[in-house]
Amino acid sequence: MDPNQLIKEIGSGKFRPVYYFFGDEDYRKKEAVKFILSHYISGKNNQLNLSKMSADKTELESIIGEIAAIPMLGDRRLIYVEDVQRLKPTQYKKLFGYLKSPPPETVIILSSPSVRTPQKKSAFFREVKKISELVQFNKLTDQKTRARIIRHLQSEGYTYDEEAVELLLSLTGGNFGGLVGELEKLSLSQETGSHIGLEEIKKLASSYEEFGIFELIDMISEKKYENALKAYNDLISRGSSSVGVVVLIGRQMINMLKALEGRKIAGHPFWVDKLRRQANLYGRERVVSAISSIAKTEKDIRTSLLKPNFLVENLIREISR
Amino acid sequence: MSYQVLALKYRPLLFEDIIAQEHVTKTLARAVETGRIAHGYLLTGPRGTGKTTTARILAKALNCIEGPTATPCNVCPMCKEITAGSSLDVLEVDAASNTGIDDIRTLRENIRYLPTSGKKRVFIIDEVHRLSGSAFDALLKTLEEPPEHAVFIFATTEPHKVPQTILSRTQRYDFRRVSTTDLVSHLQKLAKLENIEIEQEALFLIARKGDGSVRDSLSLFDQMIALADGTITASLTARTLGIVDRQLFSKLIDIIAAGKSEEIFNLVKILFESGADITEFVNDFVSYLRNLLVQKSTEQPENFLDVSAAEREALAKQATYFTEADILRMIQILSDLLRQLKNGYDEKTFLEICLIRLARMESSIALQEVIQRLNRLSASLGSGQAVPANNLFDAVQPPPLKAPVQKKTLSSDKQLPRQSTAPQEPPPVPPETETDYESGKPLNLPRVQMTWNNFLDELKKQKPMLASMMTMGQVTSVEDSNITIAFSSSYATNKQVVNKTESKTIIEEALRNFYKLTVSVKFTIDKTQKAQASAINTETESLAINADDLFAEDPELKSFVEQINGEIVGRKKIDDNNSNPGD
């Protein structure tokens, strides 16, 4: 079963007695648990009938005891057991044996974190498959994430620029939790019917430093010294340090050199494309010369008594002209 | 009633009172109004920008008797308790002193209890990045599934130290450094409320020293209020805060521009009598020159200058005295002075020497431009065309200097007689490129030092990273085609990398191609502080030392420098396609 099917089923009031959540996207697993809880146990006190435990830190007897307990001030219970793959074969066989006929008023969710999800060919997986409904939570593809962002913007009645969507997508870098937070901030700061452009995203978004560096390099590549200085000041006002900015410019220039030499560059396609464009605009000679200037500035920051801020401004002046 | 410091007396009570963070406060206010409250918030940004204050206002907004409301009343018992820090429902934890897992366990125990009198239990964890790894793990579990009644607000100046797992479970808001202009208007407002007379320039001094932090600026303002008897003047502020009065820099620039070196002794005397920190003075003077540079090189300097309108006006005037290259050279000379001071040189003597050097400095001209002019002259003479003497150096001249001071320039009356004796042949050019280098000529230290940057440029074309690593080294000796390159101990890693057999082979191969000689190279670590200081010497300095040697070896270079009445101040590879007159 995939998460969409799960949501549909739960939405229609159909609950399976045992689920097993696995896959790469831990944030969505937690969200799914919340979703099931809110639909399965109504009322403000639903936390009373939610039991969370980790198989890694809880005795097997306690887990089974918790599953067997009766609901408090209600008629349903939700049991969430994390790290279930940590159980030894004898232990999980005992647990799964018990779960073949779980208490009728209880939904049990077993889960494994992304980094420790067992292989599908493993004995554990074969066993858990027999007693539970498997739900795999994969990371959303860029395409799906983009669709989700657009859906959110449309549901809030916003118009938007494609570039703003791409920026949001790249800033959150596949981190679903981060994306949800950014979308929520956007919803809170913008009135219904607003237009969402790059400026709106830049103003609010976190993890801005990476974008800020791209903007700075854009200005440097286009030999717009004054705008480059503005972009640098913006980064500083957002809390970046001068030294940090030099390191990031250096990293960017090295990647640009790699791009010009046709070498592979890791990173989100949005950034990689942008970087290639910048590299072509800047040219190999200038990139090589800039790397040298950056190395000198880095050395001066460490050894000279001049203020780093001045040295970085001077670097920007030198490489953006 | 005892005196209450300004930072406490005027601590913002409402979202709208927080200055320069509207992107955060408006969003949070709307979240409260619409009831879309997250379980966890992460407030990040430089110190003194309002993170903890915002956290407390949010706590009040959620718990105010009239709330949840974006404008807490600040008079109800809940608001008062939170303001006083005595609310049982708002728990403030300083993670800097409660870093352990036990502290977080206690906090987790606390979370289970419902609010006593408010609507939400708010946990404010300041400096959250200071928590230990296990404390973060313990917190994570709670953060994943906090009870309905709990809200976490984390504040930190270093968000990169907060684990990704925590970041992805919180809504992050980035606070910005407060600009000097915003700080000045805030201080002005408070001065009015407190009936304090203060000069505008003094406000700028305080705000600049506050460095984007409202709290620091207010502390400094407190200090000045306590000290001043009557109006707080700029000079008193400068003296108290250990800042050199900007007027002094302005005066110094006028003296330098006018070339009145004798006045420098007086100025240095005044400076020493005032007990100023000389290193601080030099750094502040560099900042002043930076402002001149910004004024000179940008179209909208006001975007980059944290100065009052009066000072901006003075800067605009003084910027006309110099070319950009002049200002950069002055900064370079001051940077050298800083190094000398660091090495224990006599402060007074070296400051005087340095300032006199600045006052006697000739205006800079791009060497390339001079060469172009001479080439043009040569070509014209060759073709038999007369060249109007006045046109020869028009473009070479720096921008005209304006009253009241007159800077020495390469004026035509000074230069033209030299032009009349300009050589018939194109002038000799210092050995700047590989092709100019005499193949197979034995190597010596000055020659290698002189051509080292050209060699690195060549190496860069093949191995940019290796060349960058090499820039940190200094050629210290050349004996029988053996070149020794020393790295300071802080660049030991660079030495390790270049010393690898394969890197060394590449470098030696490149040296062979460049010098047309078989050259071996040795890398060493120079552990002495003195050697390190020498390793970080500027090109200008090393050239100045070696200029005589170079002239002895290359009389044509000497005659060329003399003909243009020049001095060797630095070395720069000239790019024909990308020249920048004045650099």
Side-chain angles (χ1 to χ4, degrees):
Chain A
M1 182 188 280
D2 70 29
N4 285 339
Q5 286 171 304
L6 175 76
I7 287 167
K8 271 186 197 159
E9 268 197 17
I10 301 297
S12 65
K14 186 180 173 188
F15 299 94
R16 312 271 178 144
V18 186
Y19 296 97
Y20 174 55
F21 288 179
F22 66 102
D24 299 329
E25 185 51 90
D26 291 333
Y27 182 85
R28 293 174 71 204
K29 288 175 204 163
K30 311 279 181 199
E31 290 300 300
V33 174
K34 281 189 206 166
F35 188 72
I36 295 176
L37 177 68
S38 65
H39 282 74
Y40 188 61
I41 309 172
S42 56
K44 281 189 173 178
N45 291 334
N46 59 8
Q47 296 284 333
L48 286 175
N49 284 310
L50 166 70
S51 283
K52 282 177 65 182
M53 63 206 90
S54 164
D56 191 28
K57 292 170 187 161
T58 317
E59 296 287 332
L60 179 66
E61 285 67 29
S62 305
I63 297 174
I64 293 176
E66 196 65 47
I67 293 171
I70 54 162
M72 278 170 68
L73 303 172
D75 51 8
R76 288 171 165 189
R77 298 194 74 218
L78 183 70
I79 313 291
Y80 180 41
V81 186
E82 288 182 294
D83 265 325
V84 70
Q85 80 293 337
R86 288 280 190 162
L87 296 173
K88 291 175 187 158
T90 49
Q91 290 178 316
Y92 68 66
K93 277 178 187 159
K94 193 172 174 187
L95 175 66
F96 295 170
Y98 180 76
L99 290 179
K100 277 179 185 163
S101 50
E105 70 286 357
T106 306
V107 166
I108 298 120
I109 302 171
L110 308 173
S111 147
S112 294
S114 58
V115 287
R116 288 191 286 269
T117 293
Q119 290 193 344
K120 285 185 179 172
K121 288 177 185 170
S122 66
F124 173 87
F125 213 90
R126 282 198 303 273
E127 292 297 321
V128 77
K129 200 174 170 182
K130 288 179 195 165
I131 54 104
S132 66
E133 184 61 43
L134 303 183
V135 189
Q136 184 166 5
F137 291 85
N138 286 332
K139 277 206 186 297
L140 289 185
T141 59
D142 277 357
Q143 205 182 350
K144 281 185 179 172
T145 314
R146 191 179 293 112
R148 185 169 176 126
I149 295 172
I150 292 172
R151 212 164 50 237
H152 178 88
L153 297 178
Q154 286 171 341
S155 72
E156 295 281 346
Y158 299 143
T159 55
Y160 55 88
D161 291 339
E162 286 295 331
E163 214 176 352
V165 174
E166 289 304 317
L167 175 61
L168 198 52
L169 179 65
S170 62
L171 282 177
T172 47
N175 169 4
F176 199 74
L179 178 64
V180 170
E182 293 303 324
L183 289 175
E184 178 66 6
K185 271 157 60 178
L186 204 58
S187 300
L188 288 170
S189 66
Q190 304 295 321
E191 299 288 341
T192 308
S194 304
H195 182 76
I196 307 296
L198 275 182
E199 281 309 309
E200 283 68 32
I201 305 288
K202 276 160 60 180
K203 209 163 81 178
L204 265 189
S206 305
S207 325
Y208 173 83
E209 206 170 34
E210 191 178 6
F211 176 78
I213 287 294
F214 267 94
E215 195 165 53
L216 174 59
I217 302 286
D218 264 348
M219 296 303 133
I220 289 172
S221 318
E222 291 169 23
K223 300 189 179 182
K224 291 179 178 166
Y225 163 59
E226 203 160 337
N227 289 347
L229 212 52
K230 263 187 207 162
Y232 166 68
N233 282 346
D234 193 30
L235 278 166
I236 295 297
S237 79
R238 281 168 174 261
S240 299
S241 69
S242 306
V243 184
V245 172
V246 173
V247 170
L248 288 172
I249 298 176
R251 195 183 297 161
Q252 182 82 348
M253 287 289 173
I254 287 168
N255 279 332
M256 282 161 71
L257 187 64
K258 281 184 184 171
L260 288 165
E261 289 176 350
R263 285 153 69 187
K264 200 180 167 194
I265 308 157
H268 193 279
F270 177 79
W271 296 126
V272 175
D273 287 348
K274 211 164 159 43
L275 188 132
R276 284 190 202 284
R277 279 202 300 275
Q278 284 182 339
N280 290 330
L281 191 63
Y282 209 71
R284 193 176 189 283
E285 280 284 308
R286 280 184 75 202
V287 170
V288 168
S289 160
I291 289 174
S292 175
S293 300
I294 290 160
K296 188 177 175 303
T297 304
E298 197 261 335
K299 175 182 160 186
D300 285 345
I301 287 175
R302 286 196 204 192
T303 56
S304 134
L305 291 179
L306 288 174
K307 289 179 181 158
N309 195 43
F310 168 74
L311 292 167
V312 181
E313 280 189 358
N314 208 32
L315 169 74
I316 291 169
R317 183 186 168 282
E318 203 176 313
I319 62 178
S320 63
R321 290 184 151 197
Chain B
M1 190 182 160
S2 62
Y3 179 74
Q4 199 178 13
V5 294
L6 293 174
L8 288 180
K9 189 171 176 184
Y10 292 103
R11 184 158 208 156
L13 296 172
L14 296 169
F15 284 125
E16 65 195 48
D17 295 341
I18 295 171
I19 60 167
Q21 312 296 347
E22 287 79 12
H23 63 290
V24 175
T25 50
K26 279 189 180 164
T27 311
L28 286 176
R30 192 131 186 263
V32 176
E33 277 165 5
T34 53
R36 288 161 77 165
I37 301 298
H39 283 302
Y41 291 97
L42 178 69
L43 311 181
T44 77
R47 67 175 203 287
T49 49
K51 300 180 293 296
T52 316
T53 305
T54 302
R56 287 189 193 140
I57 295 175
L58 181 58
K60 278 191 274 189
L62 295 173
N63 281 316
C64 177
I65 284 180
E66 293 177 13
T69 167
T71 49
C73 67
N74 282 301
V75 289
C76 72
M78 272 314 294
C79 285
K80 279 185 170 172
E81 278 175 22
I82 296 170
T83 305
S86 58
S87 169
L88 293 175
D89 293 330
V90 178
L91 193 72
E92 266 192 62
V93 181
D94 175 21
S97 46
N98 301 280
T99 58
I101 187 163
D102 289 340
D103 301 305
I104 297 302
R105 278 193 187 128
T106 315
L107 192 140
R108 280 170 59 184
E109 289 297 309
N110 247 314
I111 288 169
R112 291 189 298 180
Y113 305 115
L114 288 166
T116 50
S117 47
K119 299 172 182 77
K120 294 269 186 191
R121 296 208 76 194
V122 182
F123 297 87
I124 301 171
I125 305 185
D126 213 355
E127 301 298 339
V128 70
H129 64 273
R130 298 285 296 273
L131 287 180
S132 66
S134 48
F136 268 125
D137 284 345
L139 194 60
L140 186 62
K141 291 282 165 203
T142 316
L143 203 56
E144 275 172 1
E145 275 302 325
E148 273 298 313
H149 61 262
V151 174
F152 283 94
I153 308 175
F154 304 129
T156 179
T157 47
E158 299 185 54
H160 54 279
K161 289 187 181 168
V162 179
Q164 190 60 41
T165 42
I166 299 281
L167 289 176
S168 70
R169 282 165 179 82
T170 51
Q171 223 173 76
R172 175 174 159 178
Y173 288 90
D174 294 358
F175 284 65
R176 295 182 187 187
R177 202 182 292 274
V178 184
S179 72
T180 304
T181 323
D182 284 336
L183 280 173
V184 166
S185 48
H186 185 59
L187 292 174
Q188 211 160 23
K189 203 171 96 186
L190 298 191
K192 210 172 173 184
L193 288 171
E194 292 282 310
N195 283 325
I196 287 162
E197 295 277 320
I198 181 164
E199 287 178 6
Q200 181 78 358
E201 194 55 42
L203 288 173
F204 267 92
L205 287 175
I206 294 172
R208 264 201 303 267
K209 189 86 176 171
D211 194 24
S213 160
V214 181
R215 191 172 50 233
D216 290 4
S217 303
L218 290 181
S219 300
L220 295 171
F221 194 20
D222 266 325
Q223 213 177 314
M224 291 314 303
I225 293 170
L227 203 79
D229 191 12
T231 305
I232 302 174
T233 62
S235 60
L236 175 69
T237 310
R239 270 204 313 278
T240 312
L241 304 183
I243 308 165
V244 178
D245 195 342
R246 313 284 274 196
Q247 301 264 334
L248 192 73
F249 295 130
S250 178
K251 198 175 167 191
L252 184 55
I253 287 292
D254 283 346
I255 292 172
I256 289 170
K260 293 178 182 170
S261 46
E262 65 283 357
E263 287 190 21
I264 282 171
F265 296 105
N266 256 337
L267 194 135
V268 173
K269 192 177 165 214
I270 295 168
L271 190 69
F272 268 79
E273 280 171 359
S274 73
D277 178 322
I278 299 305
T279 306
E280 194 76 8
F281 166 79
V282 177
N283 244 318
D284 288 348
F285 189 35
V286 170
S287 300
Y288 192 87
L289 288 171
R290 174 261 177 202
N291 287 352
L292 276 181
L293 193 63
V294 166
Q295 178 70 42
K296 184 105 202 147
S297 58
T298 58
E299 283 171 18
Q300 292 175 305
E302 62 278 9
N303 288 340
F304 310 105
L305 295 174
D306 284 340
V307 296
S308 63
E311 196 177 330
R312 200 155 57 233
E313 211 172 291
L315 282 171
K317 191 176 157 193
Q318 289 185 327
T320 61
Y321 301 166
F322 308 102
T323 63
E324 278 183 45
D326 285 336
I327 301 171
L328 285 169
R329 276 176 65 198
M330 288 198 265
I331 291 171
Q332 184 63 62
I333 291 169
L334 289 165
S335 164
D336 295 343
L337 173 66
L338 282 173
R339 290 198 178 102
Q340 288 163 336
L341 297 182
K342 189 182 172 187
N343 288 340
Y345 288 47
D346 180 64
E347 285 185 341
K348 195 174 177 191
T349 311
F350 276 79
L351 179 61
E352 281 172 351
I353 292 171
C354 171
L355 295 180
I356 287 168
R357 227 177 125 191
L358 295 184
R360 293 193 174 169
M361 200 176 81
E362 291 288 348
S363 193
S364 304
I365 308 162
L367 186 58
Q368 186 194 26
E369 216 171 308
V370 179
I371 294 165
Q372 280 170 359
R373 291 280 152 184
L374 289 173
N375 282 341
R376 206 178 304 164
L377 170 68
S378 172
S380 304
L381 290 173
S383 67
Q385 280 182 325
V387 180
N390 289 341
N391 291 349
L392 281 173
F393 273 81
D394 284 356
V396 175
Q397 286 180 354
L401 303 180
K402 292 182 182 173
V405 285
Q406 192 70 29
K407 173 89 175 111
K408 290 165 285 175
T409 64
L410 290 173
S411 58
S412 52
D413 59 342
K414 191 175 173 184
Q415 293 299 319
L416 284 176
R418 291 177 189 278
Q419 277 311 302
S420 62
T421 58
Q424 294 294 313
E425 293 294 317
V429 180
E432 287 281 318
T433 64
E434 186 188 350
T435 47
D436 292 328
Y437 189 79
E438 247 180 281
S439 304
K441 196 173 174 180
L443 295 178
N444 56 31
L445 183 60
R447 188 164 281 276
V448 173
Q449 282 179 333
M450 184 69 180
T451 52
W452 192 245
N453 277 359
N454 299 327
F455 163 68
L456 290 179
D457 286 343
E458 283 304 309
L459 182 63
K460 234 181 273 169
K461 288 177 192 164
Q462 308 158 30
K463 295 283 168 190
M465 295 311 297
L466 202 56
S468 283
M469 292 275 177
M470 293 274 287
T471 56
M472 302 304 173
Q474 181 87 353
V475 179
T476 52
S477 80
V478 178
E479 285 173 21
D480 302 330
S481 303
N482 297 320
I483 300 177
T484 306
I485 295 154
F487 288 84
S488 70
S489 42
S490 24
Y491 288 100
T493 322
N494 289 38
K495 186 235 163 189
Q496 269 180 5
V497 174
V498 297
N499 207 24
K500 281 183 182 167
T501 316
E502 53 187 42
S503 307
K504 213 171 161 184
T505 312
I506 294 168
I507 293 162
E508 286 179 345
E509 176 68 25
L511 282 166
R512 188 161 54 244
N513 290 336
F514 186 77
Y515 289 113
K516 309 285 187 283
L517 277 174
T518 305
V519 180
S520 69
V521 65
K522 188 181 158 194
F523 300 105
T524 60
I525 291 285
D526 198 339
K527 287 179 181 164
T528 64
Q529 187 60 36
K530 202 173 173 184
Q532 191 182 344
S534 126
I536 58 171
N537 243 341
T538 60
E539 289 171 40
T540 313
E541 216 170 58
S542 66
L543 282 174
I545 292 162
N546 295 317
D548 287 342
D549 294 342
L550 289 166
F551 290 156
E553 279 188 37
D554 198 342
E556 283 179 336
L557 174 64
K558 188 179 181 186
S559 97
F560 172 73
V561 172
E562 279 174 359
Q563 280 201 24
I564 61 166
N565 195 22
E567 60 173 313
I568 294 182
V569 293
R571 216 168 7 158
K572 185 176 177 185
K573 187 178 178 184
I574 296 167
D575 179 355
D576 286 338
N577 301 323
N578 197 19
S579 63
N580 181 20
D583 269 359

